[in-house]
Amino acid sequence: MENSIFNANTVPVLEQVVNFAQKRHSILATNIANQRVPGYKGRDLNVDRFHEVLSEAIERKNNPNEPISQGLVHTKEGDPMRDVQDSLNGILFHDESNLDIERQVAELSKNQTMHNTALAIMESQFRLLSVAISERV
Amino acid sequence: MISALDISTSGLIAQRERLTTISQNIANMSSLRDANGRIGPYKAKHVILETDHQLATSSGAAGVKVAEVRENDVEPKRRWQPDHPLAIKDGKWKGYVEYPNVDMTEQFVDALEASRAYESNVGVIEMTKNMTSQTLRILA
C-alpha cells in the first residue's frame, strides 16, 4: 500500500537525485580538503552518467508492460555513484595537482542547488500527501 | 552527508597545523640556540600534507592529514659579526654568526595561502550544513 503511494509520484526519482548529490558533495569536499596535497588529482562523480542511468530507470518504470509497483527506481546496476572518475580540470600545476579551486566551488554550489531543488519538490509532494490524508485544503 | 563534515574538518585541522608551523617559524626567526641550549640556528619547518584514507567512503571521498613536519635543508644565513658571543671561532666561516634560514616573504605567502584554504573548508562546511538542514526540512 504505502509502496504504491510513494511510487506513484516522483519521490523515488528525487530520492536518487538527493542521494547522488550528497555523495558527490562528500567527494567535492575531499577535493577542497586536499587542495594543498602535492600530486593530488581531483575526483568527481559523473553527473551525465547518473542522469542517463536515472532516465533509463524512469523509462523502465513507466513501461506499461512492466508489472505494476515494481518498487523503487533501481539504479543499482552500473551505479553511477561507483564510477568515481578523475575530474578533467586541464591545468596541471607544478606540484602535480590539478585542482582549480574556483571550478571546485562552482561545482559544489551547482550540486547544492540540484540537491535543494530536488528536496523542495519532494517537500511539496509530501505536503500534497498530507493534505490528501487530512482531507483539508 | 556527515562524512563531508568530517572531511572538511580534517582540512581545517591540516591547515591550522600549517599556520601553527608558520607562526613557529616566524617566532623563531632569530633563535640561535635550540630548546636544550645547544648552539645552532633554528631551522625553518615545512608541513607535508597527504590524503588520509582513514575517513574514506565507498564512493571515494577521503580526508587529509599531516604526514610529517620536515626541516628545511637550506643553508643558514651568515652575518659577519666577529664580536658576537656566538660567532664561529674557527674554520672557513670564522667571525660569522649563523642565523635561521627563515624567509619572511615565503612564510607570509604560505600563511596567506593556508588561511585561504582554511576559509574554503569553512565554506564547504556551511554548504554541508545548508544541505543537511534542507534534508531535515522534509520531516517538518
Side-chain angles (χ1 to χ4, degrees):
Chain A
M1 169 66 181
E2 65 270 23
N3 239 3
S4 58
I5 287 177
F6 288 112
N7 276 324
N9 48 30
T10 48
V11 169
V13 178
L14 295 169
E15 191 188 324
Q16 296 297 333
V17 173
V18 170
N19 246 329
F20 176 79
Q22 292 188 349
K23 290 232 165 106
R24 186 159 185 248
H25 182 78
S26 300
I27 288 171
L28 294 175
T30 306
N31 290 345
I32 301 269
N34 284 280
Q35 58 182 295
R36 296 306 308 156
V37 175
Y40 178 79
K41 297 286 188 298
R43 298 170 185 177
D44 201 354
L45 293 181
N46 195 332
V47 185
D48 294 337
R49 173 104 186 88
F50 171 71
H51 285 154
E52 266 169 41
V53 174
L54 191 62
S55 66
E56 274 167 26
I58 295 168
E59 287 293 317
R60 230 182 299 129
K61 188 169 168 279
N62 293 342
N63 192 341
N65 296 329
E66 291 282 313
I68 301 165
S69 183
Q70 193 195 4
L72 291 176
V73 177
H74 289 293
T75 53
K76 274 281 181 277
E77 322 129 22
D79 189 350
M81 296 183 189
R82 286 174 204 287
D83 286 352
V84 180
Q85 53 161 28
D86 279 353
S87 55
L88 307 162
N89 280 330
I91 311 166
L92 192 63
F93 294 107
H94 285 303
D95 62 354
E96 291 191 340
S97 74
N98 64 351
L99 287 175
D100 30 10
I101 191 92
E102 295 86 359
R103 189 169 161 164
Q104 294 299 325
V105 175
E107 289 297 326
L108 264 166
S109 49
K110 259 158 65 183
N111 190 51
Q112 189 188 19
T113 313
M114 182 169 101
H115 177 263
N116 289 355
T117 313
L119 278 170
I121 301 172
M122 208 195 267
E123 217 185 313
S124 73
Q125 297 270 1
F126 284 133
R127 211 176 305 126
L128 282 179
L129 261 181
S130 82
V131 167
I133 291 167
S134 62
E135 293 186 339
R136 272 179 287 130
V137 182
Chain B
M1 204 58 191
I2 302 298
S3 70
L5 267 183
D6 288 340
I7 287 162
S8 300
T9 310
S10 74
L12 290 183
I13 295 169
Q15 298 303 335
R16 180 177 289 282
E17 193 62 37
R18 269 181 85 197
L19 260 180
T20 314
T21 311
I22 290 164
S23 31
Q24 185 189 339
N25 288 343
I26 291 179
N28 282 291
M29 63 180 300
S30 317
S31 301
L32 300 184
R33 279 194 187 135
D34 64 11
N36 299 321
R38 277 192 294 270
I39 293 172
Y42 172 81
K43 284 195 175 113
K45 290 182 175 58
H46 288 277
V47 170
I48 315 248
L49 301 181
E50 72 176 26
T51 309
D52 182 10
H53 290 286
Q54 213 180 354
L55 292 170
T57 67
S58 58
S59 46
V64 65
K65 70 175 178 199
V66 175
E68 57 175 317
V69 180
R70 203 183 281 174
E71 281 184 348
N72 198 341
D73 293 333
V74 177
E75 287 269 291
K77 293 176 194 159
R78 295 191 181 89
R79 230 180 276 167
W80 171 249
Q81 284 178 317
D83 297 333
H84 196 285
L86 297 183
I88 296 169
K89 296 285 183 294
D90 46 51
K92 184 183 164 197
W93 294 104
K94 186 167 184 283
Y96 282 83
V97 179
E98 291 188 331
Y99 284 93
N101 54 2
V102 179
D103 180 18
M104 276 291 258
T105 320
E106 195 190 306
Q107 298 300 326
F108 274 112
V109 171
D110 265 5
L112 202 65
E113 203 185 59
S115 63
R116 289 290 173 268
Y118 190 90
E119 277 170 33
S120 55
N121 277 299
V122 173
V124 178
I125 289 182
E126 283 297 325
M127 281 179 173
T128 312
K129 275 164 59 187
N130 172 290
M131 284 166 76
T132 316
S133 70
Q134 291 287 328
T135 313
L136 288 175
R137 266 178 55 194
I138 291 183
L139 291 177

